[in-house]
Amino acid sequence: MGELLVGRPALKLEIAISVPLDLTSVISLVFRATDTRRFERWLVDARKALGAEWEHDLDTLLGFSGRLLYYVEELLMSFDPFRPEHREAGFEEYVAHLKRLPAWAYRSMAIQAMLRVYLDRGVLEVPPESDDPAVWRAFFEPGITRADVDEVVRLVLAPEQLKERTVRLLERFWRELYAAEFERALPVMRRAVRQARATTFSSVANAFEELSGHRLPDEVQLALPRVERVTFSPSYYLGNFVQFILYPPELILYFNCQRTSAATQPAEGSVISPDLLPGLRALGDGTRLRIIELLRNGERYAQEIVGMLGISQSAVSRHLAMLEAAGIVTVRPANGMKYYAINSQRLRQIAEELERIGSVDVRATERDNSNGSRAVIIPHAAGRSLLAEDKPPHPAVG
């Protein structure tokens, strides 16, 4: 019967956006945005707008835990951003959590960040047991990028100050610099999330390539056996960089939402509506068409669909989620189960839009032909954290 092996659960692939996820991405980008030729203009201008004192805090708190900026990752993961109640968290929830943490937790996060730096070098290190500044200085020196190591040691030995300066930096960055910009970019990020959720990906590597336009970094590919959930998160200012957080069993992969939206959104004045492509993608699969056929005579619960199709429950769930994201099916929870039904209005909308796209203004065609020019098809009317570029190594969020 073969050898018995311990199985691993299938990777969960999710698309998500929240303030804590986005803030971690953006503040690390601003930290690095010193080259006007490589970074988005807003990032460069934001760093210049910090002022000397604020810029010093940014460089100190993000510049002591290695080139991958592990300390800011520790802050994010302490919040457990994928808990159901945190999935769409705003800044107030995030900062309230950080304020509730005791001061010693900030010291622990700083130490944990440095231990990860050592692990990247293949070294198993232990933190100092004494309060001797010289010993702590030697411990933190390998992680220093822009920070002053003596100042970092003073903060770690006085964790109340480390907490106060960390929370103050995030509050000022959000309230004075980024809150309004986040609201401006939010519609584009949400549109990118809808488009991504309406797409079927064959693998994590395929999803990352389609969403970001980059190959999945080798260090991420090698770490996938230790990962249980992969979360894709849109970033408005990522540009042509790769950014991720590898925190097993979690993996967060950021993608440029401006690229995703631009590649799939109709041109201004186009007869094609922004909602058409997700609908066509959802319909462009034999299994999903079979599910729609099963629902013709009324709603069915998910397990019933699994039994009728004869494929795995996880596969059916993915297909149903894509149909739901595209608005083609509706979901009604009842008695601990989900009942699915066809959204006939959405299907009619897709059919009408396809008919409209294929329609021809006969008078315009005849007019063009009478002038001896090529016929033109005219629709009747419009429808309603180290960062790396594509080839260098791909480090994590920063």
Side-chain angles (χ1 to χ4, degrees):
M1 293 181 64
E3 183 180 0
L4 291 177
L5 301 174
V6 178
R8 293 184 65 252
L11 271 177
K12 298 178 182 177
L13 195 156
E14 301 178 355
I15 320 289
I17 180 173
S18 71
V19 169
L21 288 175
D22 188 60
L23 180 62
T24 303
S25 168
V26 171
I27 198 170
S28 66
L29 289 168
V30 171
F31 171 80
R32 298 187 182 281
T34 56
D35 187 341
T36 57
R37 297 166 299 178
R38 301 177 66 221
F39 289 86
E40 291 274 345
R41 170 57 60 181
W42 184 88
L43 299 171
V44 176
D45 290 344
R47 183 172 176 89
K48 291 178 179 177
L50 292 175
E53 179 185 356
W54 196 4
E55 188 174 11
H56 176 76
D57 272 356
L58 181 73
D59 286 346
T60 298
L61 295 169
L62 271 70
F64 76 83
S65 57
R67 64 188 182 89
L68 305 185
L69 312 184
Y70 283 142
Y71 180 60
V72 73
E73 291 186 14
E74 293 293 331
L75 297 173
L76 172 67
M77 300 312 290
S78 75
F79 182 63
D80 194 359
F82 304 115
R83 285 174 56 184
E85 61 269 32
H86 291 171
R87 287 181 176 274
E88 297 182 2
F91 180 76
E92 298 306 324
E93 296 169 82
Y94 185 39
V95 77
H97 157 78
L98 294 175
K99 289 180 176 179
R100 284 194 300 269
L101 291 177
W104 61 260
Y106 286 80
R107 174 171 168 156
S108 295
M109 287 188 286
I111 292 171
Q112 178 61 28
M114 270 307 304
L115 293 178
R116 292 170 66 190
V117 171
Y118 281 105
L119 281 176
D120 287 344
R121 298 180 170 202
V123 177
L124 291 176
E125 185 59 85
V126 293
E129 296 183 358
S130 73
D131 287 338
D132 183 349
V135 177
W136 282 99
R137 190 181 200 282
F139 176 74
F140 276 103
E141 272 184 338
I144 298 296
T145 54
R146 292 188 189 155
D148 177 85
V149 66
D150 292 318
E151 184 175 7
V152 171
V153 169
R154 288 194 295 270
L155 286 173
V156 171
L157 294 180
E160 296 83 3
Q161 295 180 26
L162 177 61
K163 173 181 177 177
E164 189 274 330
R165 284 179 62 175
T166 299
V167 173
R168 182 183 64 183
L169 173 66
L170 293 178
E171 282 193 301
R172 289 188 62 186
F173 185 88
W174 173 258
R175 302 190 196 286
E176 300 179 25
L177 196 62
Y178 189 54
E181 191 64 18
F182 175 81
E183 291 300 321
R184 188 185 73 81
L186 189 56
V188 178
M189 291 192 283
R190 284 175 171 164
R191 185 165 64 239
V193 167
R194 289 196 300 271
Q195 293 166 359
R197 286 175 176 167
T199 305
T200 298
F201 303 109
S202 59
S203 65
V204 174
N206 169 254
F208 187 71
E209 186 171 345
E210 281 203 36
L211 292 173
S212 72
H214 296 281
R215 175 180 56 81
L216 189 68
D218 291 340
E219 56 265 50
V220 174
Q221 186 72 54
L222 291 172
L224 286 180
R226 297 186 289 130
V227 172
E228 295 178 7
R229 174 167 47 199
V230 180
T231 302
F232 287 88
S233 184
S235 177
Y236 191 82
Y237 290 110
L238 190 55
N240 193 39
F241 293 105
V242 168
Q243 191 179 43
F244 61 87
I245 297 176
L246 180 58
Y247 202 95
E250 302 288 353
L251 170 62
I252 303 168
L253 295 169
Y254 291 94
F255 64 94
N256 180 356
C257 65
Q258 293 195 70
R259 173 192 178 277
T260 305
S261 297
T264 57
Q265 288 303 294
E268 185 176 353
S270 171
V271 68
I272 303 172
S273 77
D275 293 331
L276 179 60
L277 186 56
L280 293 179
R281 282 176 169 167
L283 292 171
D285 178 88
T287 300
R288 290 192 288 276
L289 288 175
R290 175 67 175 139
I291 290 174
I292 293 171
E293 186 178 27
L294 292 175
L295 298 177
R296 286 182 63 208
N297 296 324
E299 66 178 12
R300 296 183 184 275
Y301 60 90
Q303 194 58 44
E304 187 179 8
I305 297 173
V306 171
M308 298 178 78
L309 289 178
I311 60 177
S312 70
Q313 183 169 350
S314 61
V316 170
S317 296
R318 286 196 299 271
H319 287 301
L320 288 170
M322 188 169 181
L323 290 168
E324 181 186 359
I328 292 171
V329 300
T330 60
V331 185
R332 180 178 66 85
N335 301 322
M337 295 188 292
K338 291 183 177 180
Y339 289 82
Y340 292 85
I342 292 176
N343 183 353
S344 300
Q345 182 179 358
R346 173 67 168 134
L347 287 176
R348 282 195 299 270
Q349 176 193 0
I350 293 172
E352 290 169 1
E353 187 164 351
L354 288 173
E355 183 179 3
R356 186 166 55 246
I357 292 171
S359 64
V360 177
D361 190 326
V362 177
R363 289 172 300 175
T365 303
E366 290 176 348
R367 185 165 58 250
D368 287 333
N369 284 335
S370 66
N371 293 332
S373 60
R374 179 172 56 87
V376 179
I377 297 176
I378 301 178
H380 284 302
R384 8 148 232 115
S385 210
L386 180 70
L387 303 170
E389 298 191 55
D390 201 11
K391 292 186 179 179
H394 305 282
V397 66

